[in-house]
Amino acid sequence: MRISAAIRASQRSPLLQVVKSAAATIAAWMIAGWIFPAQLPVFAAIAALLVVQPSVNQSLSKALERSIGVIAGVVIAVALGLLLGSPSWIVLLAIVVAMLVAWVFRASPGTANQVAISAMLVLALGSSSPEYAVARIGETLIGVVIGIVVNALIVPPVLVAPARRDVGLLGSEIAASLDRLADALPEAQTPAKLQELMLEVRLLRPMKDAAEASISAGEESLTLNPRRSTHRADLREMRALLDQISPIVTQTIGMTRAYFDHYDDTIGEEPAVVAIAEQLRRAGHDVRLAVQVAEASPEPEIMTSAIPALTAPLVIRPPSSSHWILIGSLMEDLRRIRGELVDED
């Protein structure tokens, strides 16, 4: 494992997220310090810092995790302090007990860690008195509330643009794969060209997964988001579009695989091949037309006609006996693609 990969992200988080985290932490420190002046408001600052997440929904989840963890940890620390006094080893005992309690109740990893950390901090930084415990719980709740409010009010993140981008890229690559197969069908191919064709078409699966992940992240970002009404229709449109073109990924890969497996140098002589290649280009055109809602045109010079090209099913003469498996496979996948793209109603 590369050390840099373990400590560095593939891309920076938005600067706005850093600003919001800093603002929430400073506000929590000042407000909690004013309400509880006897102690440094460490718990409030940590709570605010952890609660500011990429989405409001994630902030609420983190707030619940943080609050429960702190309350449980503080209760454990106070109970042990009242029972055993304040020897130095009690901090280690509190950590072990907190971890066991979290395990018994099947707490999530984040909550379990929070229970142990809170128990340790209470005993290491302060006192085990009930008054101190109540103050630390109140301080944590202040930080939690401030983190949620800051995340919700300062431009709540809405991840619609990445979903639109990834769906658009997927549609563009589907169309490009169909065009590449159409170009290859009538021509003689070298083994290297066939391998290249397969390698390129296999990129569709990770692109489809990326589009699915982006839409799911977008839907997550709208949950409990004050701006959700403005963007909800966009994400529904992206989801419907992905549902429409996802089966075409499977069919495009299947057609390319069939061509790879059953290729021979005489396939280009088959009368049906030219017609199938034309239908593949038409299908590519209609995929581009479908994803124009996602602003998916990959290059400014590619202008897609607004008129669907798959206007009628393809009818061909029976192929020769040596090619009927390939021709039949291509025809069936084309039929399925047409079913996805053409509204018969």
Side-chain angles (χ1 to χ4, degrees):
M1 181 183 68
R2 294 174 55 191
I3 296 178
S4 60
I7 61 176
R8 297 188 64 190
S10 58
Q11 58 183 9
R12 292 185 179 91
S13 59
L15 181 59
L16 178 62
Q17 192 72 12
V18 177
V19 172
K20 292 200 301 184
S21 297
T25 303
I26 293 170
W29 181 281
M30 295 178 65
I31 294 174
W34 174 66
I35 296 176
F36 302 104
Q39 295 286 337
L40 290 176
V42 175
F43 280 71
I46 294 175
L49 181 63
L50 293 177
V51 164
V52 178
Q53 295 290 311
S55 74
V56 178
N57 190 46
Q58 290 175 351
S59 286
L60 287 176
S61 299
K62 186 63 71 173
L64 184 62
E65 177 183 280
R66 171 73 182 174
S67 301
I68 292 175
V70 167
I71 292 171
V74 168
V75 169
I76 290 170
V78 170
L80 290 176
L82 293 176
L83 288 174
L84 302 175
S86 57
S88 59
W89 53 264
I90 197 175
V91 176
L92 298 177
L93 179 61
I95 294 173
V96 174
V97 171
M99 293 172 64
L100 288 174
V101 169
W103 176 79
V104 168
F105 288 97
R106 292 193 294 182
S108 67
T111 302
N113 291 337
Q114 191 59 62
V115 174
I117 291 171
S118 297
M120 178 188 68
L121 288 176
V122 166
L123 293 173
L125 298 180
S127 135
S128 57
S129 68
E131 293 79 9
Y132 180 85
V134 170
R136 299 294 72 75
I137 291 173
E139 180 186 317
T140 298
L141 295 178
I142 290 172
V144 162
V145 171
I146 290 174
I148 293 174
V149 170
V150 168
N151 205 32
L153 294 182
I154 302 179
V155 192
V158 176
L159 304 179
V160 175
R164 179 178 290 111
R165 177 201 64 211
D166 289 344
V167 172
L169 289 174
L170 174 62
S172 298
E173 187 58 27
I174 291 172
S177 295
L178 292 170
D179 288 344
R180 285 193 293 266
L181 183 57
D183 293 337
L185 274 174
E187 304 292 335
Q189 302 295 318
T190 64
K193 284 290 187 182
L194 291 172
Q195 287 287 353
E196 182 181 347
L197 205 61
M198 280 304 303
L199 288 173
E200 289 176 327
V201 79
R202 284 172 178 159
L203 294 175
L204 290 177
R205 290 199 188 280
M207 292 183 72
K208 184 182 80 168
D209 293 342
E212 173 66 36
S214 293
I215 290 178
S216 297
E219 292 168 343
E220 167 75 17
S221 74
L222 293 187
T223 305
L224 303 176
N225 192 315
R227 301 168 59 199
R228 61 186 178 273
S229 58
T230 307
H231 301 280
R232 185 177 290 151
D234 289 342
L235 270 179
R236 278 200 299 263
E237 197 169 20
M238 293 299 104
R239 173 66 70 182
L241 180 56
L242 181 62
D243 291 342
Q244 179 187 13
I245 65 176
S246 287
I248 302 177
V249 170
T250 302
Q251 289 137 16
T252 303
I253 295 173
M255 283 190 291
T256 307
R257 183 80 219 188
Y259 179 65
F260 180 87
D261 289 342
H262 299 283
Y263 172 81
D264 65 50
D265 290 338
T266 64
I267 186 65
E269 301 171 3
E270 195 67 52
V273 161
V274 174
I276 291 175
E278 176 60 25
Q279 290 297 306
L280 288 171
R281 293 188 182 93
R282 288 171 177 255
H285 167 279
D286 284 6
V287 170
R288 289 191 180 95
L289 182 61
V291 298
Q292 279 183 349
V293 67
E295 301 176 353
S297 182
E299 299 174 10
E301 62 268 19
I302 296 179
M303 300 298 292
T304 302
S305 167
I307 302 174
L310 288 173
T311 54
L314 175 62
V315 179
I316 61 173
R317 291 183 297 170
S320 63
S321 59
S322 60
H323 298 138
W324 70 268
I325 294 178
L326 174 57
I327 299 300
S329 176
L330 294 174
M331 288 292 294
E332 175 60 15
D333 280 321
L334 268 174
R335 182 191 67 80
R336 291 174 179 172
I337 290 174
R338 185 176 187 276
E340 298 293 337
L341 294 174
V342 177
D343 184 1
E344 299 288 358
D345 295 334

